[in-house]
Amino acid sequence: MAGNRAFVIAGAGLAGAKAAETLRTEGFDGPVVLLGDETERPYERPPLSKGYLLGKSEQESVYVHPQEWYADHEVDLRTGTAVTGIDADGHEVALSDGRRIGYAKLLLATGSSPRLLPVPGADLDGVLYLRRLRDSDRLKETLRSASRIVVIGAGWIGLETTAAARSAGVEVTVLEAAELPLLRVLGQEVAQIFAGLHTEHGADLRFGTQVAEITGRDGRADGVRLGDGARIAADAVVVGVGIVPNSRLAEVAGLDVGNGIRVDARLRSSHPDIYAAGDVAAAFHPVLGKHIRVEHWANALHQPRTAARAMLGQDVSFDRMPYFFTDQYDLGMEYTGYVEPGAYDQVVFRGSTENREFIAFWLSGGRVLAGMNVNVWDVTDPIRALVTGGRPVDAEALADPGVPLTDLVPSAGPSSE
């Protein structure tokens, strides 16, 4: 059993692995225990719906570190071992194998889980979710054998899966309750661009639909029945209707939770020796002035570095702007900033939306809240500087490709993701 100098990390994904790495690079020489419920060593999730799913990258490329890294850095990696309970006052965690481990500091990097579809037939074989490595393997195999699939949900996972399926020559019907894909995230002006992209590539997009049940034969899904009684045949059904933070452990332990584990800017929870990072953390953002929970790769990459340094007693805070990216067909995109649904009053485009080479800016009162560059590169720095600048920007100049973005901000801002 690790002693009371141990730093324990619950969750062996990208966030947990980066926290362990930071503890060592910052000079911590005490025991580090990294606990994960999966049998795989820590890996990154974006490739599961991008390069790996498309067959463009091998499995080894998804891992955060080589296998030997953990032993070489004296990180006690325990796969297939979940944390089942936290004794916050006693500074101990209970494990799925019946053992208990004491800790000086605890980091919760437990991530999130797919939101399950609450309809009859959702438990049939051939109903797929995409969150873990084995999910991606199952979906890859399905795309090799299926001729038609239904994708429920037109969010990022749903659309990236659709792009991969169409690239593999599979017929795809996308079912979405809203009137456009990504509507809550991007708003109508930009969401319709993604709708056009997928329509041009042969996907059958159906909006304003309600799923009544997943139909099946001999225990396997064979289609989807809609609320209006119509049925769509399919060889498999992919569900991408969002994710939920794995915060139950924290809640049972008496920590403050609300859309995730609520932490301050240092990523410290309501208990001074317990921290949280990644998908599960609803962190106070000092620039935005509110708690936000971000479900993207860059957050899981950078946030644990702040958490680990805070656990070591350093005076740090996490103030990076949210960042995410996607690749669908011939469209590559990066997004920087944070906009709540309906919180903007103007969208400004720079470049050609018709050719899908543009930057979109979301503004409120003349201030840039977020920017998204589509097939336009090396602009993340000035976009971030515009977002963090907090000052009104001339919309006409913002839309004019002849005006360098760097001329609209006081500096190029911090380094890119």
Side-chain angles (χ1 to χ4, degrees):
M1 177 184 292
N4 60 12
R5 288 190 64 228
F7 279 25
V8 172
I9 303 169
L14 173 61
K18 283 298 178 180
E21 178 184 310
T22 302
L23 289 173
R24 289 306 188 217
T25 58
E26 292 292 321
F28 179 67
D29 60 2
V32 175
V33 183
L34 180 57
L35 304 163
D37 63 348
E38 294 188 66
T39 56
E40 298 285 346
R41 71 181 188 270
Y43 59 87
E44 301 188 36
R45 298 191 189 277
L48 303 188
S49 61
K50 296 182 173 70
Y52 183 63
L53 181 60
L54 289 166
K56 295 180 179 179
S57 56
E58 298 300 320
Q59 180 170 321
E60 190 63 27
S61 67
V62 309
Y63 294 112
V64 182
H65 300 113
Q67 181 66 55
E68 63 273 13
W69 183 90
Y70 300 95
D72 290 347
H73 292 82
E74 297 184 332
V75 173
D76 182 3
L77 172 62
R78 304 187 193 183
T79 58
T81 306
V83 174
T84 57
I86 303 169
D87 179 355
D89 293 334
H91 284 69
E92 282 189 338
V93 294
L95 308 181
S96 55
D97 61 11
R99 289 183 289 180
R100 302 180 72 87
I101 297 179
Y103 64 83
K105 304 285 185 182
L106 172 65
L107 175 64
L108 299 176
T110 49
S112 54
S113 297
R115 189 181 302 278
L116 301 180
L117 193 67
V119 301
D123 57 349
L124 289 169
D125 189 21
V127 177
L128 308 176
Y129 293 82
L130 184 55
R131 185 61 184 166
R132 298 191 168 196
L133 185 56
R134 64 176 177 267
D135 298 331
S136 192
D137 287 334
R138 289 180 65 199
L139 185 52
K140 283 176 67 175
E141 180 60 35
T142 297
L143 297 185
R144 283 194 288 264
S145 60
S147 60
R148 54 189 179 182
I149 67 170
V150 168
V151 174
I152 301 175
W156 296 117
I157 290 296
L159 293 187
E160 288 176 358
T161 299
T162 297
R166 290 299 303 134
S167 298
V170 179
E171 294 182 11
V172 184
T173 301
V174 181
L175 305 177
E176 169 59 45
E179 63 185 76
L180 285 170
L182 302 166
L183 188 59
R184 282 180 54 82
V185 179
L186 301 180
Q188 185 168 5
E189 298 88 345
V190 180
Q192 59 191 2
I193 294 173
F194 280 86
L197 170 72
H198 284 271
T199 298
E200 287 180 18
H201 284 83
D204 180 6
L205 306 183
R206 304 193 186 186
F207 301 113
T209 61
Q210 297 295 325
V211 174
E213 69 171 315
I214 297 175
T215 63
R217 176 179 295 180
D218 299 326
R220 182 170 183 84
D222 67 358
V224 175
R225 192 175 308 282
L226 305 182
D228 62 5
R231 181 179 173 276
I232 303 168
D235 300 316
V237 177
V238 181
V239 180
V241 292
I243 60 178
V244 293
N246 295 327
S247 55
R248 180 62 178 166
L249 268 176
E251 183 179 2
V252 172
L255 303 184
D256 186 12
V257 299
N259 186 31
I261 303 170
R262 291 177 67 85
V263 294
D264 61 19
R266 301 180 65 223
L267 305 179
R268 183 173 57 186
S269 76
S270 54
H271 190 286
D273 293 327
I274 302 179
Y275 296 72
D279 285 2
V280 77
F284 182 81
H285 197 286
V287 177
L288 299 173
K290 65 180 71 175
H291 283 82
I292 64 171
R293 190 173 66 82
V294 179
E295 302 169 349
H296 297 292
W297 166 85
N299 206 56
L301 176 69
H302 296 293
Q303 211 173 56
R305 296 170 177 167
T306 298
R309 293 174 62 193
M311 292 164 73
L312 294 171
Q314 298 180 25
D315 184 14
V316 292
S317 66
F318 187 77
D319 59 2
R320 279 181 173 265
M321 277 291 161
Y323 166 93
F324 60 89
F325 67 98
T326 191
D327 297 296
Q328 299 172 30
Y329 311 109
D330 56 353
L331 182 149
M333 177 276 277
E334 297 175 291
Y335 180 106
T336 303
Y338 182 79
V339 184
E340 293 181 327
Y344 66 95
D345 54 34
Q346 185 180 12
V347 178
V348 173
F349 291 98
R350 166 185 287 236
S352 172
T353 57
E354 181 178 348
N355 296 331
R356 298 195 188 100
E357 293 184 3
F358 65 90
I359 307 173
F361 298 94
W362 287 261
L363 283 71
S364 177
R367 293 180 54 247
V368 177
L369 304 178
M372 183 180 81
N373 49 299
V374 174
N375 292 336
V376 176
W377 307 112
D378 301 321
V379 292
T380 302
D381 286 351
I383 290 175
R384 183 183 294 107
L386 283 166
V387 173
T388 58
R391 299 185 310 194
V393 177
D394 181 84
E396 290 188 7
L398 196 61
D400 185 354
V403 179
L405 290 179
T406 51
D407 288 358
L408 303 178
V409 295
S411 68
S415 62
S416 70
E417 302 289 348

